[in-house]
Amino acid sequence: MARSATTTQIVLARTTVALVIVFALVGLVTHGMSAEVWNRVFRSIAERPGGPMTFRFILQPVMASVLAAVDGVRDARSGAPAYFWSLVTGSAPRADRLYDGLIATSRVILLGLAMDVVYQLIVFKTFYPGEAAIVAVLLAFVPYLLLRGPFQRLAQLMGAGASPQDKA
């Protein structure tokens, strides 16, 4: 079951989704999806860790990992299924689980979008919105998606799982 969210968290999550979608669509319309575009995107992503603002390649995944750890422990205590596995298998309502992850990571994704806009304007002297959306999601949501379940499992192994009386 998804956590209860404040109005601010809901607005922030919706703003994040809207911005990622708008950035992706504007990037698609302005630059297309040719092999040349994909080459440029992945080449520039591979070159970014050695350039300016490298700290964000550490900062965003670390922030997402901390959020994954907190939510993984919460999942262990509540007896929820593993996050990524429940999304893949559908053992829990997918929309609720995705919503929960988006609520948790929306600030990190927005920070990633902002930092990528600044990076692109400094380094490229132009702006590729689709690329900004890809980088923000790769650095902020993907680590959360991949780490929340292992953190939950680790918390269960360390004794933070729901006790039988909690489940009754």
Side-chain angles (χ1 to χ4, degrees), residues 3-16 99 102-103 106-107 110:
R3 74 173 102 186
S4 58
T6 66
T7 304
T8 303
Q9 289 173 319
I10 292 169
V11 169
L12 193 61
R14 288 180 180 168
T15 302
T16 301
Y99 175 77
L102 181 61
I103 291 292
S106 59
R107 284 188 174 107
L110 283 175

Side-chain angles (χ1 to χ4, degrees), residues 2 4 11 14 17 32 45 48 54 61-62 70 86-87 92 94 101 107 119 123 126 128 131 143 153 162-163 166:
S4 58
V11 169
R14 288 180 180 168
V17 169
I45 289 172
R48 288 174 189 216
T54 300
V62 166
V70 169
S86 68
L87 292 175
R94 284 185 182 122
R107 284 188 174 107
Y119 171 85
V123 174
T126 189
Y128 300 106
E131 194 170 317
R153 183 70 176 138
S163 64
D166 291 342

